[in-house]
Amino acid sequence: MLANYRRLFAVPHVTSLLVWSLTARFYTPGLMIAVTFLVEGWTGSYTLAGLVAGAFTLGIALVGPLRGRMADRGGSDRLVLVCGVVFTLGLFALALLPASLWWLSLPLALGTGLFGTPANQIVRALWPRLTRGPERQAIYAAEATTQELLFVFAPVLTAAVVAMAGPRQALLMLCVLGLLGAVGFAWALRRAGVTGPAPVEEALEGEAAEKGDKGPRGSLLFHPALCLLFAMCLLIISGVVGMDLVIVAWANELGAPQYVMVLASVWALGSLVGGAVSGMLKGAPRLTLRAFAAALGMAVLIPFVPPISHLPTPLLITPLLFVSGLALAPTLAAMMGRLGDTAPSHRRAEAFGWMSTAMSTGAAVAGPLTGALVDTNGIAGGTVGAASLVLLAAVLTLFLPRTGASTASPADVPEEPATDGTAVPLATDGGDRISPSSPRGHGGPTVGPVPTERTGTTASPPRPSSP
């Protein structure tokens, strides 16, 4: 069952790209905690603290597509470095801001958020260039699973620093980690040789109109399938964040905030296990099945929360929470894989930028929506709302077009022996032409007609050209 992961991490540069991209975005889950404690300490208002924290999210959401388009045009390592340095300076300034000037934190947070390190969208756009078939499915599952680890450990570490040293010191810690991650990720991109413009797959040029790609300046929002995927991301993230808020509200009603970490950790653990197992499976992931399973997993919680039921302790619901989380990471992995297959090859980072914007919007919508449902209908009302959002996302999968030959993950791609005896996957363009993909990951597969004349010796096949 581990064959997919063994083949995946044998691909050059995959491990370093994954690890450094996760380090570059480690600050994301903990940032809201540190900012909330800092601003609340200045003003005594959670409303103002929420506005400042929301300004970071708004800034990151506004520039997602723009950052993706810049990465698609080349120089992604420089883009990551510039964003990482400016973002770090912004957090550093916020950490040192005097309490009397707290009102400056709002524009400072918005401006800093505009330079959030675009590690997630860049690395997700690279996976189709570096992996094929089962390996591609495994890398998206591995990333969705390890992303869950960030949302478990980053808040815990940030909260611990806040408790021991204070929110200013927690922000300074996030500054250091953010800058370290940005430098490391830029180095990994340069070492992998994938900092140039994204390659254009010739087989997809004739399908540009169908994909809504109206040239280099055309908006990806003209692509119906991509819009459906963006809407799915918004709804699923809104449902997941809403369920997190439901857990917090339940613990607060009981006057036992310690239950938050227990319940949230069990839910995240279920997602971790589900994501790890999904990466071992063979065959193309069935997005519709996974999305409906995620909705069902959240729906089964409804009969066991107040005011429908009053358990002696919320800990009795932990087995159901574990089961509820099993389909979350696999669903997110399948969505990312479908987006990577559907987006034009030379605009994948931009597409993942729109996905980042959709996710940030969903997280922002979840707060007031779930709060209103909990206020009017109790914990069960918030749970119903979260499950309904995920169910609506699952329904949208029924309208996604079937993947064609040019977009489906080629699970059975033939291999060409390399000079060192290792097997190098061959990339297909949806027709009968096959060309060798770069064994070192320099620019991904080269698609085009096979040369009719011998261009090298029989022992040394010709190297593909870089984009």
Side-chain angles (χ1 to χ4, degrees):
M1 292 183 66
L2 296 175
N4 287 352
Y5 287 117
R6 285 197 298 267
R7 287 195 299 265
L8 168 65
F9 291 108
V11 177
H13 310 299
V14 163
T15 302
S16 63
L17 286 169
L18 178 60
V19 170
W20 281 114
S21 72
L22 290 169
T23 306
R25 45 190 149 144
F26 184 87
Y27 67 83
T28 306
L31 182 61
M32 301 299 104
I33 295 176
V35 169
T36 299
F37 276 105
L38 183 63
V39 178
E40 194 278 333
W42 289 341
T43 65
S45 170
Y46 281 103
T47 301
L48 294 175
L51 285 175
V52 176
F56 275 104
T57 303
L58 178 61
I60 293 172
L62 286 175
V63 297
L66 176 61
R67 293 282 181 264
R69 181 168 289 194
M70 294 171 68
D72 284 330
R73 292 174 178 173
S76 56
D77 55 337
R78 294 190 298 272
L79 175 64
V80 168
L81 278 176
V82 170
C83 289
V85 169
V86 177
F87 190 84
T88 299
L89 291 175
L91 285 187
F92 188 76
L94 181 62
L96 299 183
L97 191 69
S100 59
L101 298 177
W102 66 267
W103 50 273
L104 286 177
S105 62
L106 189 60
L108 183 59
L110 179 61
T112 302
L114 293 175
F115 289 89
T117 307
N120 58 346
Q121 62 198 79
I122 290 177
V123 79
R124 288 167 183 169
L126 287 177
W127 298 141
R129 295 170 61 178
L130 301 177
T131 59
R132 288 291 179 269
E135 289 78 16
R136 183 183 300 183
Q137 176 186 342
I139 189 58
Y140 280 121
E143 189 191 356
T145 301
T146 49
Q147 181 85 9
E148 290 292 335
L149 287 175
L150 293 187
F151 282 91
V152 172
F153 291 110
V156 172
L157 177 60
T158 305
V161 175
V162 169
M164 292 186 295
R168 292 184 188 271
Q169 287 71 19
L171 270 183
L172 292 175
M173 176 200 68
L174 295 177
C175 285
V176 174
L177 290 175
L179 183 59
L180 175 65
V183 172
F185 185 50
W187 169 80
L189 288 170
R190 186 171 297 179
R191 185 169 176 267
V194 290
T195 60
V200 181
E201 296 176 7
E202 294 177 5
L204 298 182
E205 288 181 344
E207 303 172 7
E210 296 179 12
K211 287 191 170 225
D213 183 20
K214 304 180 184 303
R217 297 183 183 276
S219 174
L220 294 180
L221 296 182
F222 287 111
H223 185 352
L226 288 178
C227 287
L228 282 174
L229 287 168
F230 298 150
M232 282 186 59
C233 292
L234 187 153
L235 292 168
I236 287 183
I237 294 302
S238 186
V240 170
V241 173
M243 193 62 207
D244 284 332
L245 296 175
V246 166
I247 291 174
V248 173
W250 193 6
N252 283 340
E253 282 194 0
L254 295 174
Q258 66 271 17
Y259 285 138
V260 174
M261 289 308 302
V262 177
L263 298 179
S265 297
V266 170
W267 200 39
L269 179 62
S271 183
L272 280 172
V273 172
V277 173
S278 69
M280 304 177 191
L281 302 178
K282 296 182 179 180
R286 299 172 64 180
L287 177 56
T288 299
L289 180 62
R290 293 185 182 190
F292 276 103
L296 178 62
M298 296 179 71
V300 297
L301 300 174
I302 297 172
F304 301 96
V305 296
I308 298 177
S309 297
H310 294 277
L311 300 177
T313 170
L315 297 180
L316 293 177
I317 206 175
T318 51
L320 276 180
L321 272 175
F322 179 85
V323 174
S324 174
L326 286 174
L328 293 178
T331 302
L332 292 173
M335 277 199 308
M336 290 188 287
R338 177 66 71 88
L339 182 62
D341 288 339
T342 304
S345 60
H346 58 297
R347 300 182 66 180
R348 285 192 178 112
E350 182 183 351
F352 279 105
W354 280 110
M355 172 181 271
S356 177
T357 296
M359 289 180 169
S360 298
T361 304
V365 168
L369 177 60
T370 304
L373 289 172
V374 170
D375 287 340
T376 56
N377 300 285
I379 304 302
T383 308
V384 169
S388 298
L389 290 169
V390 178
L391 177 61
L392 182 56
V395 171
L396 291 182
T397 65
L398 301 176
F399 298 94
L400 285 173
R402 301 173 69 92
T403 55
S406 62
T407 58
S409 298
D412 300 319
V413 177
E415 294 183 342
E416 177 183 21
T419 55
D420 60 357
T422 60
V424 178
L426 298 178
T428 65
D429 63 358
D432 297 328
R433 294 173 296 167
I434 301 178
S435 60
S437 63
S438 170
R440 299 290 298 172
H442 294 286
T446 302
V447 180
V450 177
T452 56
E453 298 180 358
R454 179 176 298 180
T455 56
T457 65
T458 55
S460 177
R463 292 181 178 273
S465 57
S466 298

